[in-house]
Amino acid sequence: MIPIILCGGAGSRLWPVSRESHPKPFIRLSDGQSLLQKAFLRAVALPGVSEVLTVTNRDLFFKAEDEFREVNSDNVATSFICEPFGRNTAAAIAAAALHVAEKHGPDVVMLVLAADHLISDQAAFSAAVERATALAREGKIVTFGIQPETPETGYGYIEADGNSVVRFVEKPPLEKAREYIASERFLWNSGIFCFTAAAMLREMRQHCSDIVDTTDACMKASRISEGNGWTQVQLEPKTFGAVPDTSIDYAVMEKCDKAAVVPCSIGWSDIGSWAALSDLCKPDSNGNRVEGEAMLHDVDNCYLMSRDRIIGAVGVRDLIVIDTPDALLVVSRDRAQDVRHIYSKLKARGHEAHKLHRTVHRPWGTYTILEEGTRFKIKRIEVKPGASLSLQMHHHRSEHWIVVSGMAKVVNGDKTLFVSTNESTYIPAGHKHRLENPGVVGLVMIEVQSGEYLGEDDIVRFEDVYGRA
């Protein structure tokens, strides 16, 4: 079996923690693990798994790789298909099926998992996967149907007769959802799938040949790197842009006469809002859930999260308060689904808060904006051991670098120098420069930028080991 983790999306309903460059799969729960890490561990705990294939945006590749490295104690092979931009789940699954059929053979069973779902009952999940695998080997396209607990309007539904799919239903209004629950014939559509590569490609060629054909052309034009058991496919942007943007439900599942369903109760949640995420936190005697530090007086049924500052609340009910270093969200608990409108408005206005946190992850490490004002910006930069930034130049700003810990190897114009702790160097505007950590411990430094323009797009890359030049 090859598990396929689909890692994409904006997670707009979980803003301000989820952002375009730090989407929902990378949100860390109270135990310190991200949703993506939990998906990976869930996959490798299944029998017969020696490789996990992740389909993700190429800008998230290094971040996902770091996440896996933290928890991959058994050194399971981690392969990636990197998309230049999103094209929905049908394109992602088509690319994965074509790759698996080519590399491992058409009869290999594929298990498609979302990177941002939570499953709390691993034993029940393993049993459901075993049942799904048996159906997949019969040529079925299997989906996992969750036994519904409440009349949810945020999920799609599957009408089932045993393992047979009667029909798929879009997200219903509340009254219709209540009817579905009462009939005991409907399941929540989990977005988890199981099939052989050959079966999925067969159904795609029958029902959405344009998707599989354009994806196949893209795969043939793409750059592929291989190592000891792993593969990285960098999808070619021009040909990938020709792939239709369609969900796998619409492209295949709703049209397929080979569809099957495995009803299951596995402790599943798609963590689709702050209300759902708050339910993971144990409430106090007044129904309040707190992550971080808060002082409450006459407060009931609220969820408050802040990892950097203390929150004070007085006389409020049914609120969700999410505090981050650069953004604060206050929302009525029963309107948690509507947070996506805030995200959409920020994006429409070009506000950076839809895309970036103050701490930004890069392939080489992170930077955190400490302060900025007219003609200056101060950053804390951390570079991983052995990592280096690109050889680059800025037209409009100069930079002062002060090493706080570790040692920096610096290219500054024609010179190469080593800068130790408590030492500094100055990079004038227009100078080619590169920062590298030659040591075995993290390099931490403070960067002070000054100039007429300090935007992140004032950069010319000449050489880059991450392919961004």
Side-chain angles (χ1 to χ4, degrees), residues 293-307:
E293 189 176 7
M295 286 292 176
L296 309 181
H297 177 74
D298 191 23
V299 174
D300 294 296
N301 197 36
C302 289
Y303 175 57
L304 304 103
M305 187 185 82
S306 176
R307 300 208 169 114

Side-chain angles (χ1 to χ4, degrees), residues 157-352:
Y157 284 73
I158 303 167
E159 185 177 3
D161 181 8
N163 292 125
S164 299
V165 173
V166 177
R167 61 177 171 136
F168 291 88
V169 183
E170 294 292 328
K171 298 174 183 178
L174 183 58
E175 284 305 314
K176 187 62 71 174
R178 286 173 176 155
E179 287 180 26
Y180 293 163
I181 298 295
S183 74
E184 298 184 351
R185 289 177 56 84
F186 287 82
L187 306 162
W188 290 336
N189 188 350
S190 69
I192 304 171
F193 304 98
C194 187
F195 45 78
T196 64
M200 177 52 73
L201 293 173
R202 178 196 68 221
E203 295 299 320
M204 284 190 148
R205 290 186 176 109
Q206 180 178 347
H207 301 293
C208 56
S209 59
D210 53 343
I211 292 176
V212 72
D213 289 346
T214 51
T215 304
D216 192 24
C218 176
M219 294 288 284
K220 288 181 169 65
S222 298
R223 181 162 56 92
I224 300 176
S225 306
E226 293 186 300
N228 185 19
W230 59 267
T231 305
Q232 183 190 138
V233 181
Q234 291 280 349
L235 294 180
E236 195 278 320
K238 185 176 181 180
T239 51
F240 192 62
V243 181
D245 185 339
T246 310
S247 73
I248 193 66
D249 282 345
Y250 179 78
V252 175
M253 300 305 296
E254 294 177 7
K255 304 170 184 175
C256 172
D257 59 7
K258 295 284 188 181
V261 62
V262 172
C264 53
S265 294
I266 54 178
W268 173 88
S269 172
D270 74 342
I271 314 294
S273 69
W274 281 113
L277 195 61
S278 73
D279 288 340
L280 303 178
C281 184
K282 186 177 179 180
D284 65 15
S285 58
N286 293 315
N288 297 308
R289 296 169 164 88
V290 176
E291 292 193 60
E293 189 176 7
M295 286 292 176
L296 309 181
H297 177 74
D298 191 23
V299 174
D300 294 296
N301 197 36
C302 289
Y303 175 57
L304 304 103
M305 187 185 82
S306 176
R307 300 208 169 114
D308 297 295
R309 296 183 290 192
I310 187 171
I311 294 177
V314 179
V316 294
R317 311 279 183 274
D318 304 317
L319 286 183
I320 293 171
V321 180
I322 309 298
D323 183 44
T324 69
D326 66 335
L328 173 68
L329 171 71
V330 181
V331 60
S332 175
R333 189 177 181 87
D334 63 359
R335 299 290 299 277
Q337 293 282 347
D338 292 337
V339 173
R340 67 185 187 275
H341 297 304
I342 300 296
Y343 177 92
S344 298
K345 289 180 178 181
L346 289 168
K347 187 171 184 177
R349 294 179 186 179
H351 198 295
E352 280 203 342

Side-chain angles (χ1 to χ4, degrees), residues 364 383-389 403 405-411 416-421 434-445:
W364 42 262
V383 185
K384 302 172 191 173
S388 68
L389 284 66
V403 175
S405 64
M407 175 178 285
K409 180 181 179 181
V410 178
V411 173
T416 299
L417 60 152
F418 289 88
V419 184
S420 300
T421 302
R434 188 201 299 271
L435 174 64
E436 181 180 345
N437 179 0
V440 294
V441 297
L443 164 65
V444 179
M445 53 173 260

Side-chain angles (χ1 to χ4, degrees), residues 141-154:
I141 307 295
V142 187
T143 186
F144 289 57
I146 307 301
Q147 299 284 0
E149 300 166 1
T150 56
E152 286 285 344
T153 59

